[in-house]
Amino acid sequence: MAAAEPSPRRVGFVGAGRMAGAIAQGLIRAGKVEAQHILASAPTDRNLCHFQALGCRTTHSNQEVLQSCLLVIFATKPHVLPAVLAEVAPVVTTEHILVSVAAGVSLSTLEEVCAFSEALAEGAVKMGMPSSLAHRIAAQTLLGTAKMLLHEGQHPAQLRSDVCTPGGTTIYGLHALEQGGLRAATMSAVEAATCRAKELSRK
């Protein structure tokens, strides 16, 4: 009986700008991956046409890239990356290899954002919700927030104001986050990652 052939290596790109295009072209020319096994995503067709010219597959769905490829390169603009990570977090698995080429964004930042949904779910489990349901709701919460920020162009502060009913559960939850120092911890994490990225670039 003949041995089964190994499945082809698939590489995904979230973000299809010049950096992503250059990396994809280099991989293809070096024979590391075939063009048809590269999948790139972007909000519009403006940059995707360059990938299409190389023979690569394209999509407007970031989640589709994660669902189709285990090696995923994030090549978005730095200020967009946190929202993109929140969007794809529900489909990230332990088998994924995530690489970021976004300036000033470290791999530790990728880990922190993708692990945020786990923290939300664990809080719900603590309060008695079944684990599988808690993880689905946490993932959908992050996904819904990311979509509103990305597609509707809302400022995070406006979104927070819109979802807070006076005396309601959300404002109480946000108050607890503030007391726990989430805002300061998040800002410090971004600052630390940026400073480290600058240090590494000077070596």
Side-chain angles (χ1 to χ4, degrees):
M1 181 177 180
E5 294 184 3
S7 58
R9 178 180 303 170
R10 300 183 186 277
V11 179
F13 287 85
V14 175
R18 291 182 179 179
M19 178 67 77
I23 295 173
Q25 190 171 35
L27 290 173
I28 295 169
R29 287 183 175 178
K32 300 298 183 183
V33 62
E34 296 181 17
Q36 65 265 31
H37 295 148
I38 291 178
L39 176 62
S41 66
T44 67
D45 291 327
R46 186 180 64 178
N47 291 330
L48 291 178
C49 62
H50 302 301
F51 275 83
Q52 292 164 356
L54 292 172
C56 304
R57 297 183 299 121
T58 60
T59 178
H60 295 302
S61 170
N62 295 328
Q63 285 199 354
E64 183 182 346
V65 175
L66 274 291
Q67 291 168 334
S68 302
C69 309
L70 292 181
L71 172 58
V72 179
I73 299 172
F74 289 87
T76 67
K77 295 184 184 302
H79 70 280
V80 174
L81 186 57
V84 170
L85 289 174
E87 177 190 355
V88 302
V91 294
V92 174
T93 70
T94 56
E95 296 183 356
H96 277 102
I97 299 174
L98 306 181
V99 179
S100 170
V101 295
V105 180
S106 69
L107 292 180
S108 62
T109 302
L110 290 177
E111 294 173 351
E112 290 165 5
V113 176
C114 288
F116 191 55
S117 63
E118 182 180 2
L120 287 174
E122 288 177 351
V125 171
K126 179 182 178 182
M127 299 308 295
M129 184 179 291
S131 179
S132 60
L133 177 60
H135 280 87
R136 287 200 305 272
I137 291 178
Q140 287 298 324
T141 299
L142 290 175
L143 177 60
T145 302
K147 284 185 175 180
M148 293 181 75
L149 292 174
L150 284 171
H151 301 308
E152 298 183 18
Q154 283 188 290
H155 190 280
Q158 180 61 49
L159 177 59
R160 180 181 60 199
S161 177
D162 290 345
V163 299
C164 287
T165 303
T169 58
T170 302
I171 191 63
Y172 271 72
L174 288 174
H175 183 226
L177 291 175
E178 292 288 351
Q179 286 182 317
L182 176 66
R183 182 192 299 267
T186 303
M187 293 175 67
S188 295
V190 173
E191 181 182 2
T194 302
C195 290
R196 181 56 177 162
K198 291 180 179 177
E199 291 174 2
L200 292 174
S201 68
R202 290 195 291 266
K203 293 183 178 180

